[in-house]
Amino acid sequence: MKLAYWMYAGPAHIGTLRIATSFKNVHAIMHAPLGDDYFNVMRSMLERERNFTPVTTSVVDRNVLARGSQEKVVDNITRKDAEEHPDLIVLTPTCTSSILQEDLQNFVNRAQVESKGDVILADVNHYRYNELQAADRTLQQVVHYYTEKARKRNELPEGKTEKPSVNIIGISTLAFHNHHDCTELKRMMADLGIEVNAVIPEGASVYDIKNMSRAWFNLLPYRELGLTTAQYLQEQFNTPYVDITPMGVVETARCIRKIQQVLNEQGAAVDYEGYIDEQTLYVSQAAWFSRSIDCQNLTGKKAVVFGDNTHAAAMTKILAREMGIKVVLAGTYCKYDSDWFREQVSGYCDDVLISEDNGEIGDAIARLEPSAIFGTQMERHVGKRLDIPCGVIAAPIHIQNFPIGYKPFMGYEGTNQIADLVYNSFTLGMEDHLLEIFGGHDTKEGITKGISADSDLGWSKDGLAELNKIPGFVRGKVKRNTEKFARERGVEKITAEVLYAAKEAVGA
């Protein structure tokens, strides 16, 4: 556990709450002090929810610390069971409430006696797991609970569906473009003649879980959420899973071919090659666009990619393999799964960075000076400070990354959206020069401090005056080169003379 002013992945209880609130008619009781209860506001705002978020905070205060919290927690569970009539109540602690070392499973057992709905304790290590790991673990726990419950009651259906079918696992609230991706994946499955047996957890009832065994295979669009659930279902019901993320022309085709293989191994006799060719030629414009004169102008340009495993790996492949853009650095904050990421991006980038420190990735971007960044909102802010454009491809995200319009990143329509994002993220041709000619562009004084919080580099008035005389389309690069020159020589304040010396040093 550490203090941080900005984190790529939130604490464990956020992951658990994301799963609980993704299911229909499930309520979460969060055992936490005031200050840990921001999830409701965050979800209502970002998802533009019309209904109240089904999370209640059982507040840990001084009275609870003095007397113990068992009665209060049990009362909150039974009260919400009577008021809301949920199918399931999930009790989750937070890091701070876990310090109390209370027997929360005993609280759950007591509450279950009086509650009509089911009650479970989120079995997550809040000191070792982050938001993504906790979400994955909680989903597997819920699926396991209702599978075993149905098994004990002899309610598990036997056999598979008559036609090929799929469970799409990992679609959840507060995730990056999940709803749009899910719609696109459903369309793709329909085109392939595959029925959607269940979408878990978003919008599903916990009573849908017992029917997951009927699917012919499971599809995991996101590596971070659903993998342990798919492994559990494979172990219990011998259900194969496809974990190839269908992002980009090449990986979408590879995903479909894997689905074809999985279905044919079960006697389906399907052939999707014609579908892949038609979609690549006529629905996706990305393959054509990557060969157009517009995209050729991007060939060889440098880019930095950073995000979660799924999106950062997919974007690295798309940039390098499909668009001819040089990825000088690919990185992820999913340290717990770093081996997979390195394997995926190997051969598609110059270097790999595995880090949870946004200052470290910011310093790397400043050092590499790419033409564009593809990352999270943190990298977007870094790009603003360095005057480098950034396309957001992964969480952490802002409300602008929950578009009202349809913007999937997966499937063949997703290839078009990604191509647009990439193209529009670069500074194109004479764009900055024309803006400079017409005036009003980039007349503010440049930010002169480095990305790292410990940077104390500054500019004098005459230095800034000279810097602002430089055309906007090269000013950012000149500023960064000058600051690098000054740091190497221990100069704390950049004057006009230092600027001239730096220009001479680099032959500018």
Side-chain angles (χ1 to χ4, degrees):
M1 188 169 64
K2 66 179 182 179
L3 294 175
Y5 64 90
W6 206 346
M7 297 184 295
Y8 282 104
H13 72 272
I14 297 298
T16 294
L17 295 178
R18 281 178 53 188
I19 298 303
T21 57
S22 291
F23 280 106
K24 288 191 301 187
N25 204 31
V26 171
H27 199 93
I29 302 289
M30 183 169 58
H31 185 44
L34 288 174
D36 282 350
D37 56 351
Y38 54 88
F39 179 84
N40 290 20
V41 175
M42 181 171 65
R43 182 174 180 270
S44 297
M45 178 184 68
L46 294 178
E47 292 284 9
R48 299 180 174 90
E49 284 288 320
R50 300 184 182 185
N51 300 318
F52 289 112
T53 299
V55 175
T56 298
T57 303
S58 183
V59 178
V60 177
D61 55 21
R62 61 182 182 176
N63 295 317
V64 168
L65 292 174
R67 296 197 301 262
S69 51
Q70 178 169 292
E71 292 303 322
K72 184 172 184 179
V73 172
V74 172
D75 286 347
N76 281 326
I77 292 174
T78 55
R79 177 171 58 84
K80 280 298 170 183
D81 177 77
E83 291 175 356
E84 307 291 341
H85 308 293
D87 299 322
L88 170 67
I89 290 179
V90 179
L91 174 63
T92 178
T94 65
C95 289
T96 42
S97 67
S98 294
I99 294 172
L100 301 176
Q101 294 291 302
E102 296 173 304
D103 186 1
L104 296 185
Q105 184 59 56
N106 183 49
F107 296 6
V108 166
N109 294 340
R110 279 200 53 194
Q112 184 67 84
V113 174
E114 300 180 40
S115 300
K116 293 182 179 179
D118 296 314
V119 185
I120 65 172
L121 170 67
D123 183 18
V124 173
N125 188 319
H126 290 263
Y127 298 108
R128 296 183 135 191
Y129 284 8
N130 66 19
E131 172 188 344
L132 301 178
Q133 294 169 287
D136 188 50
R137 167 63 184 145
T138 301
L139 179 60
Q140 189 272 339
Q141 183 186 357
V142 173
V143 170
H144 176 271
Y145 180 88
Y146 281 96
T147 299
E148 290 304 311
K149 182 177 180 179
R151 180 177 278 134
K152 290 176 182 177
R153 296 182 175 183
N154 293 319
E155 294 177 352
L156 278 179
E158 295 184 2
K160 303 297 182 182
T161 57
E162 182 178 349
K163 294 181 180 179
S165 60
V166 61
N167 296 319
I168 301 175
I169 303 176
I171 307 297
S172 77
T173 188
L174 289 179
F176 185 73
H177 289 236
N178 266 205
H179 300 299
H180 308 282
D181 287 345
C182 186
T183 299
E184 190 63 23
L185 291 174
K186 285 180 178 178
R187 289 177 178 176
M188 188 166 73
M189 293 302 107
D191 290 343
L192 297 175
I194 300 170
E195 296 177 347
V196 176
N197 185 60
V199 176
I200 302 290
E202 181 66 15
S205 165
V206 291
Y207 296 119
D208 295 335
I209 292 173
K210 66 182 179 184
N211 295 315
M212 292 182 73
S213 62
R214 302 200 67 206
W216 289 41
F217 71 101
N218 293 314
L219 178 61
L220 309 178
Y222 312 105
R223 181 167 180 84
E224 293 77 23
L225 180 53
L227 184 58
T228 57
T229 300
Q231 291 169 342
Y232 167 77
L233 293 171
Q234 185 179 54
E235 175 189 318
Q236 294 293 313
F237 307 108
N238 199 30
T239 307
Y241 63 86
V242 176
D243 60 351
I244 300 170
T245 300
M247 275 182 65
V249 174
V250 177
E251 290 299 286
T252 299
R254 194 164 76 91
C255 177
I256 293 172
R257 291 189 177 106
K258 181 63 177 179
I259 292 172
Q260 174 181 286
Q261 176 189 334
V262 166
L263 293 181
N264 286 340
E265 288 174 352
Q266 299 179 68
V270 296
D271 183 357
Y272 295 139
E273 290 301 324
Y275 174 79
I276 293 172
D277 290 342
E278 180 185 1
Q279 294 289 308
T280 303
L281 289 172
Y282 302 113
V283 175
S284 170
Q285 300 296 310
W288 162 81
F289 181 72
S290 66
R291 291 166 177 78
S292 69
I293 187 65
D294 289 320
C295 196
Q296 286 178 19
N297 291 329
L298 303 180
T299 302
K301 283 186 176 290
K302 296 194 301 181
V304 167
V305 179
F306 195 84
D308 60 25
N309 272 354
T310 296
H311 293 92
M315 184 58 76
T316 298
K317 294 176 185 177
I318 292 169
L319 293 175
R321 184 167 54 188
E322 299 182 20
M323 304 188 80
I325 294 168
K326 184 177 179 62
V327 180
V328 292
L329 180 69
T332 180
Y333 52 83
C334 297
K335 295 176 67 175
Y336 63 90
D337 200 18
S338 59
D339 290 343
W340 179 88
F341 183 79
R342 289 183 186 277
E343 178 188 358
Q344 291 296 306
V345 301
S346 176
Y348 298 109
C349 62
D350 292 349
D351 200 5
V352 177
L353 175 60
I354 313 295
S355 177
E356 295 176 343
D357 183 353
N358 59 290
E360 183 179 5
I361 180 63
D363 288 341
I365 292 170
R367 183 179 67 254
L368 292 167
E369 298 182 358
S371 298
I373 310 164
F374 297 93
T376 73
Q377 280 287 352
M378 290 200 215
E379 284 66 56
R380 178 173 169 267
H381 293 313
V382 168
K384 282 183 174 293
R385 295 181 67 182
L386 295 173
D387 197 23
I388 301 174
C390 177
V392 178
I393 62 162
I397 42 186
H398 288 175
I399 194 167
Q400 65 183 182
N401 305 120
F402 290 82
I404 297 174
Y406 185 55
K407 289 191 175 182
F409 269 42
M410 294 191 180
Y412 287 104
E413 176 56 31
T415 66
N416 297 331
Q417 298 293 337
I418 291 172
D420 281 341
L421 176 71
V422 172
Y423 186 67
N424 293 327
S425 293
F426 283 91
T427 301
L428 307 174
M430 298 290 287
E431 182 180 15
D432 262 335
H433 185 52
L434 289 171
L435 287 167
E436 187 77 23
I437 290 173
F438 286 107
H441 175 61
D442 198 18
T443 58
K444 295 181 180 178
E445 293 183 355
I447 295 174
T448 57
K449 290 193 174 181
I451 294 300
S452 293
D454 59 354
S455 175
D456 57 356
L457 197 63
W459 285 70
S460 67
K461 287 187 178 180
D462 65 326
L464 282 174
E466 289 301 312
L467 178 65
N468 286 327
K469 291 178 182 178
I470 298 170
F473 62 96
V474 294
R475 188 181 305 156
K477 186 170 185 178
V478 171
K479 182 173 77 69
R480 292 191 294 274
N481 285 341
T482 304
E483 291 178 345
K484 181 179 179 182
F485 174 87
R487 287 192 186 94
E488 290 173 350
R489 287 156 180 78
V491 176
E492 295 184 359
K493 197 160 195 122
I494 300 175
T495 63
E497 288 185 7
V498 176
L499 177 60
Y500 299 147
K503 289 176 68 176
E504 290 178 6
V506 296

